[in-house]
Amino acid sequence: MLCVIFLPITLLVAGASKLCPHQCSCYEASELVDCRSRGFTHIPHSIPHGTWLLDLSGNTLSELRSTSFTGIWALRVLLLSQSNMQALSSLTFLEKLDLSYNELRVLPPDFSQGLTSLKDLKLSHNALVRLETHSFKDLESLERLDLSHNHIQVIEVGAFRGLIMLRHLNLAWNQLMVLQGGLLTMQQGLGVLLLDHNNISKIEAEALAPLQTLTILNLEANQLRSLKFKTFLNLQTPSTHLQMSENPWMCDCELHRVFNKILYVRHLHVDDYMNITCHSPLLLAGASLGLMHSQLCIAETATVLIITGTVMVTVVAAMVMAERKRKKKKMNLEKQGNEPMPWESHK
């Protein structure tokens, strides 16, 4: 009787074990298949139909198409980091895609085609230099986009236009120089914007205006020397935390005024204000802006007073000299008027 009971169970386990590619590890309970760094050049056969997450990182897969995953009807997460990936096609079922560490230099015009269900895209640690208007046009469901650790210098206006559901954008560790207006016009729901460790020296006045729900803006370690208050006044959010240390700030009274205004705006919070240090002038290099900001305007006011005083002294001196000349001229005229005429002296 015991043999009759256990025989089907044994056959069931044996049958299940066959539904796993050679060299891969399959975890039925979590519906996960681990095929990392197995030397695959194509999608292995016998992947269980119910697989939800497939990890193919560290292989050599140059191109994938939807037919590569025929029968894997439950697949939602595909990890392809360090896989020498060059092309994808019609993976409409995916919700998460990891393409980090693939030495990608450009995104082809049809890169996003068919990825309409994708919510999380990781493209970090590649060699991207430019993002064009077609780069993400079909990613209408995307919520998280990681583009950190690339070499991005240019982002065309319109590159993010189709990303209306985006909540998290990581552009840290690139080579951006300007945050231009019009770049994030469709990202009203963006909550996190990471721009640290770029070369940003200018933020255009309207660049942040569309971001109505932004909670974190990281601008650390860029090339910012000054700010315009209007840029942050346009940021109408319930609450936004700013990080702006490790920039080469030029500490003067104008910078003090801008930060002072930002600090008084209720919904803006400069988290690292006490870590913001001066880069110039040389006399103030390394000094904390938060500890000495009031002195900046005192020094400027003293300079203005000295200049004003000097101008006033000069003006008064000029007026005194003019008055002396006028009086001297008047005396000379009166003197000439009292002298007798020549014909009067012969009488």
Side-chain angles (χ1 to χ4, degrees):
M1 187 67 177
L2 289 174
C3 293
V4 174
I5 293 173
F6 285 111
L7 183 59
I9 296 175
T10 305
L11 290 173
L12 180 62
V13 173
S17 64
K18 292 180 181 179
L19 293 176
C20 187
H22 180 59
Q23 297 181 312
C24 295
S25 299
C26 299
Y27 305 91
E28 289 186 57
S30 58
E31 300 174 335
L32 184 152
V33 177
D34 182 1
C35 297
R36 288 175 294 175
S37 303
R38 301 297 200 275
F40 289 119
T41 57
H42 59 274
I43 302 301
H45 300 294
S46 302
I47 296 174
H49 300 305
T51 300
W52 179 79
L53 186 152
L54 176 59
D55 192 346
L56 288 163
S57 303
N59 290 286
T60 309
L61 306 167
S62 59
E63 183 174 2
L64 295 182
R65 297 185 178 276
S66 57
T67 53
S68 304
F69 302 95
T70 301
I72 314 175
W73 47 266
L75 187 62
R76 294 295 179 270
V77 180
L78 180 60
L79 307 181
L80 293 167
S81 62
Q82 296 178 293
S83 294
N84 195 33
M85 182 54 53
Q86 299 297 322
L88 299 167
S89 178
S90 301
L91 306 181
T92 56
F93 46 83
L94 284 184
E95 293 183 1
K96 181 175 180 178
L97 178 60
D98 184 353
L99 288 169
S100 57
Y101 296 96
N102 273 291
E103 300 183 9
L104 294 172
R105 298 180 183 278
V106 295
L107 296 178
D110 59 348
F111 169 76
S112 64
Q113 184 177 351
L115 297 174
T116 52
S117 299
L118 201 65
K119 294 181 179 180
D120 191 338
L121 175 59
K122 194 169 185 179
L123 287 164
S124 61
H125 295 276
N126 280 287
L128 298 172
V129 175
R130 184 184 186 93
L131 300 179
E132 301 182 357
T133 54
H134 58 69
S135 298
F136 308 110
K137 63 180 181 179
D138 294 320
L139 303 181
E140 56 193 40
S141 300
L142 198 69
E143 297 178 2
R144 296 178 64 91
L145 177 58
D146 187 352
L147 290 159
S148 62
H149 295 275
N150 279 277
H151 309 300
I152 300 170
Q153 299 177 11
V154 177
I155 303 177
E156 292 185 2
V157 173
F160 300 137
R161 188 172 296 153
L163 308 182
I164 56 176
M165 301 297 293
L166 198 64
R167 300 290 180 266
H168 188 289
L169 177 57
N170 189 350
L171 284 163
W173 295 93
N174 280 286
Q175 298 173 20
L176 298 171
M177 293 184 287
V178 179
L179 184 59
Q180 68 265 44
L183 186 64
L184 301 168
T185 54
M186 303 302 293
Q187 280 66 57
Q188 291 90 344
L190 190 67
V192 177
L193 178 56
L194 306 180
L195 292 164
D196 52 290
H197 295 88
N198 277 273
N199 297 320
I200 297 172
S201 60
K202 180 182 178 182
I203 304 173
E204 294 185 359
E206 301 298 323
L208 303 173
L211 308 180
Q212 300 173 6
T213 59
L214 192 67
T215 57
I216 297 175
L217 173 60
N218 194 331
L219 288 163
E220 291 176 322
N222 277 280
Q223 294 299 316
L224 294 169
R225 293 171 55 84
S226 60
L227 292 174
K228 293 188 180 299
F229 177 59
K230 184 180 179 182
T231 302
F232 295 92
L233 187 63
N234 288 333
L235 194 57
Q236 297 297 318
T237 64
S239 179
T240 300
H241 291 262
L242 309 171
Q243 288 104 38
M244 293 188 285
S245 60
E246 298 182 56
N247 279 282
W249 297 110
M250 183 178 69
C251 292
D252 56 14
C253 189
E254 179 59 26
L255 186 68
H256 155 64
R257 290 193 182 106
V258 171
F259 270 104
N260 200 42
K261 290 176 182 177
I262 291 174
L263 292 171
Y264 274 95
V265 177
R266 183 174 298 178
H267 65 274
L268 297 179
H269 315 279
V270 185
D271 293 344
D272 56 356
Y273 182 58
M274 298 307 295
N275 293 328
I276 292 176
T277 55
C278 304
H279 184 265
S280 62
L282 186 61
L283 185 64
L284 300 177
S288 171
L289 178 65
L291 294 176
M292 61 167 300
H293 66 275
S294 58
Q295 302 173 28
L296 296 171
C297 286
I298 291 174
E300 185 172 295
T301 301
T303 303
V304 171
L305 289 173
I306 291 171
I307 294 172
T308 303
T310 303
V311 172
M312 289 181 66
V313 169
T314 304
V315 171
V316 170
M319 291 174 65
V320 170
M321 290 294 294
E323 181 64 17
R324 286 179 179 177
K325 287 181 179 180
R326 187 186 68 78
K327 287 182 177 181
K328 185 176 182 181
K329 184 176 181 180
K330 182 179 180 181
M331 290 175 63
N332 289 335
L333 290 172
E334 289 177 351
K335 185 176 180 180
Q336 291 177 5
N338 293 330
E339 290 181 356
M341 299 303 291
W343 59 84
E344 292 179 343
S345 61
H346 294 289
K347 291 182 178 181

